[in-house]
Amino acid sequence: MIVRTLQDAEKTNRKIVSPDGNWDSTRMLLKDDNMGFSFHITTIYAGADFQMHYQNHLESVYCMSGEGEVETLADGVKYPITPGTLYILDKHDKHVLRATKEMKMACVFNPPLNGKEVHNAEGAYELEAETISE
Ligand code: 9YT
């Protein structure tokens, strides 16, 4: 069994701060744990408004705190996000995420992230990326 705490993980290089200033993500469980998915605790900063398109991954995002919305760009539908909301990008949906208040999210990716991924110009993560060294 593997046991980790967010409090410990966010003091290490598992905590990735996005260069665009919109979010940080503590990657608590990664590809090299061999679970077939990765698990992250992500903070979306208040006022963030940015586009993503995970062409190489499926992602589920659960809101633990805060407030915002997610918009699917194919149809322009805006879904409010409050604590308890889970959104599931089951179709590699191109989407915009907006935070009216700072949001704490629990995120699961399939396939799992390697560790150091940040968004490319299209708002996707590449399948190959640097791992976390501890
Ligand atoms: C909710 C979302 O997709 N935020 C971007 C960061 C991502 N969750 C990650 O890398 O953990």
Side-chain angles (χ1 to χ4, degrees):
M1 189 167 76
I2 302 166
V3 177
R4 298 185 178 118
T5 68
L6 178 62
Q7 292 85 348
D8 287 344
E10 63 192 3
K11 288 181 203 144
T12 72
N13 52 11
R14 289 181 175 277
K15 179 174 176 177
I16 304 298
V17 179
S18 176
D20 64 12
N22 287 315
W23 53 269
D24 64 58
S25 181
T26 301
R27 294 172 172 166
M28 298 189 67
L29 166 66
L30 287 162
K31 183 178 182 177
D32 61 6
D33 293 311
N34 295 312
M35 291 290 286
F37 58 87
S38 59
F39 180 85
H40 323 156
I41 299 297
T42 297
T43 302
I44 309 293
Y45 303 149
D49 183 335
F50 62 107
Q51 187 173 313
M52 290 170 278
H53 189 194
Y54 291 128
Q55 298 161 72
N56 303 315
H57 297 85
L58 299 168
E59 186 195 21
S60 291
V61 181
Y62 177 79
C63 177
M64 298 181 288
S65 65
E67 187 182 285
E69 68 175 18
V70 60
E71 176 178 354
T72 42
L73 291 181
D75 55 13
V77 177
K78 296 176 182 175
Y79 301 88
I81 300 173
T82 56
T85 304
L86 176 70
Y87 68 84
I88 303 160
L89 299 165
D90 62 323
K91 296 184 174 63
H92 301 279
D93 315 69
K94 191 186 274 195
H95 62 291
V96 171
L97 185 60
R98 302 184 181 98
T100 43
K101 295 182 184 158
E102 178 183 281
M103 297 193 289
K104 296 279 184 189
M105 318 294 251
C107 307
V108 174
F109 278 78
N110 170 25
L113 266 58
N114 295 279
K116 297 269 194 164
E117 288 89 342
V118 292
H119 295 134
N120 66 19
E122 296 180 353
Y125 292 142
E126 305 291 346
L127 283 171
E128 300 299 325
E130 197 183 335
T131 56
I132 302 283
S133 54
E134 288 181 275

